[in-house]
Amino acid sequence: MPQPLSGLLVLDFTTLLPGPLATLMLAEAGAEVIKIERPGGDELRGYAPRLGRDSAAFALLNRGKRSLVLDLKSPEDQARLAPLLARADILVEQFRPGVMERLGLGYAAVRARNPRIVYCSISGYGQSGPRAGEAGHDLNYIGTTGLLALNPGPPDRPTVPPALVADIGGGSFPAVINILLALRRRDQSGEGAHLDIAMADAMFTFAWHALAAGQATGRYPRPGDAQLAGGSPRYQLYPTRDGALVACAALEQRFWLAFCTAIGLAPALIDDAADAAATCAAVGRLIAARTADEWGPILAAADCCATLVASLEEAVCDPHFVARGLFAHRVRGSDGTSMTALPLPIAPAFRDGTPDKASPSLGTWRSHIGGEEP
């Protein structure tokens, strides 16, 4: 059975993380992705550590794509690009607003050549609005939208979040979702679309619980107050005696009661609505009295939404994730060495089943007038 996106051509003008991850998902679902790179290549190629000549991070995000080097300010290279623009189904770009227009490659210009194209622009703050031209990265986007303030850590030890929520949850995933929606509408109307994906916009989606509380009560949660951001003993991280962490997410009453029974919490403190701080402190003392090895089987037997926090090294060896095939795909570097490909949220039935694919060496796809490929 063919893959869902087989036969579709994607021109990828993006670098670093948000756009490349989006086009990686399109490639894994069967699309042909040509990565348009400036002379010298994507900046990410030069990062450490390496897999062959390029960075391991570049290899993970660009598996199965092909690379075409173009100087977009050169009339000769613009002429090489023209036949690809005429037949492309999807174009993804990640420049600051206005850059593609200045290059003569804005949506209006491309649409005039190819009315069916789905043109996706990924930026920090969108194509319009007072912040549209402002520079930023993930930490800025979660900071300006109030998401980071829900729990930035103690004032004397603020914590940088471990995940690039804006890049992936505000850039890559919305881009793929809206590209697929635009393709579906194109099936109905024959017309393409211009998609304005602002990474900052979706951060309000991630703050759904705090937005609900703030609008319903007139008081928005302060740092650490929100139930899902450290304000509840039921949704909390508790250190063990040997420095590991128990992730307690026993929100529902049945899970909370099972957790309290498993750790031996005093009955007077089980009602956390009476004094949440006292309950949290008491739970913390109990968890700190035993090691992770002691707590593991106790919490597993209780089946109460409380688990030990695993290191990434431990997690990739977890028999559950291995059994689900998350690490079954491989990506090869330029020297033939390989590593596990990036797990992606694509159903196995839709994902490219080729177990071992390469990341693109710089400029290995050559487009001439007419789109000829050697």
Side-chain angles (χ1 to χ4, degrees):
M1 183 177 294
Q3 291 180 266
L5 301 185
S6 293
L8 296 182
L9 174 62
V10 181
L11 300 183
D12 179 359
F13 290 80
T14 68
T15 61
L16 300 176
L17 172 60
L21 178 55
T23 58
L24 173 64
M25 288 188 273
L26 300 177
E28 290 290 328
E32 176 189 4
V33 177
I34 300 175
K35 185 173 180 65
I36 309 297
E37 299 191 69
R38 66 188 182 189
D42 185 340
E43 179 184 345
L44 189 60
R45 285 185 182 270
Y47 286 28
R50 302 271 178 159
L51 183 73
R53 287 188 297 271
D54 299 313
S55 74
F58 178 87
L60 279 186
L61 293 171
N62 292 283
R63 178 181 187 265
K65 303 177 190 177
R66 290 183 290 176
S67 168
L68 171 62
V69 175
L70 295 175
D71 178 356
L72 296 178
K73 296 180 180 179
S74 160
E76 293 80 8
D77 280 3
Q78 287 260 5
R80 295 175 64 201
L81 178 62
L84 288 173
L85 290 172
R87 67 183 182 89
D89 296 281
I90 301 159
L91 183 154
V92 186
E93 63 94 3
Q94 196 180 296
F95 296 107
R96 285 207 213 187
V99 170
M100 287 290 272
E101 282 77 8
R102 290 195 293 273
L103 293 169
L105 298 170
Y107 174 63
V110 174
R111 184 184 183 281
R113 307 180 192 184
N114 182 353
R116 290 176 54 81
I117 198 160
V118 173
Y119 188 113
C120 179
S121 297
I122 303 173
S123 64
Y125 294 103
Q127 301 298 302
S128 62
R131 288 187 181 268
E134 188 174 316
H137 280 301
D138 196 282
L139 200 60
N140 306 116
Y141 308 140
I142 64 174
T144 56
T145 55
L147 182 62
L148 183 58
L150 293 175
N151 196 344
D156 60 329
R157 290 181 292 107
T159 302
V160 176
L164 298 179
V165 179
D167 280 3
I168 297 175
S172 308
F173 287 175
V176 172
I177 291 168
N178 283 280
I179 286 169
L180 296 178
L181 291 173
L183 289 173
R184 173 61 179 141
R185 192 175 71 175
R186 190 180 75 172
D187 290 342
Q188 300 167 328
S189 69
E191 289 290 318
H194 185 198
L195 307 174
D196 178 4
I197 305 298
M199 289 181 268
D201 287 0
M203 298 306 93
F204 292 101
T205 310
F206 281 89
W208 63 273
H209 56 100
L211 283 171
Q215 294 184 86
T217 66
R219 181 183 180 277
Y220 285 86
R222 295 183 181 180
D225 279 357
Q227 184 186 42
L228 301 181
S232 169
R234 301 186 182 208
Y235 203 84
Q236 196 65 251
L237 296 172
Y238 295 104
T240 64
R241 191 175 74 198
D242 53 347
L245 291 172
V246 168
C248 175
L251 289 168
E252 296 88 347
Q253 186 68 4
R254 67 184 185 280
F255 293 132
W256 176 243
L257 292 176
F259 174 72
C260 294
T261 299
I263 67 172
L265 184 66
L269 292 167
I270 291 175
D271 181 8
D272 56 315
D275 189 341
T279 297
C280 192
V283 172
R285 288 191 295 271
L286 289 168
I287 298 296
R290 299 188 184 190
T291 66
D293 285 344
E294 292 175 292
W295 279 121
I298 294 172
L299 297 174
D303 191 27
C304 59
C305 299
T307 51
L308 294 172
V309 173
S311 69
L312 185 57
E313 185 177 12
E314 292 168 334
V316 297
C317 297
D318 187 311
H320 172 79
F321 301 122
V322 172
R324 287 187 56 77
L326 267 65
F327 313 114
H329 295 75
R330 307 284 295 177
V331 57
R332 278 181 284 111
S334 58
D335 63 352
T337 57
S338 69
M339 64 181 181
T340 301
L342 187 66
L344 294 171
I346 298 175
F350 298 148
R351 189 170 180 180
D352 186 341
T354 306
D356 190 349
K357 297 179 76 172
S359 65
S361 295
L362 184 62
T364 50
W365 198 94
R366 297 180 180 87
S367 173
H368 306 283
I369 302 299
E372 177 185 340
E373 181 191 356

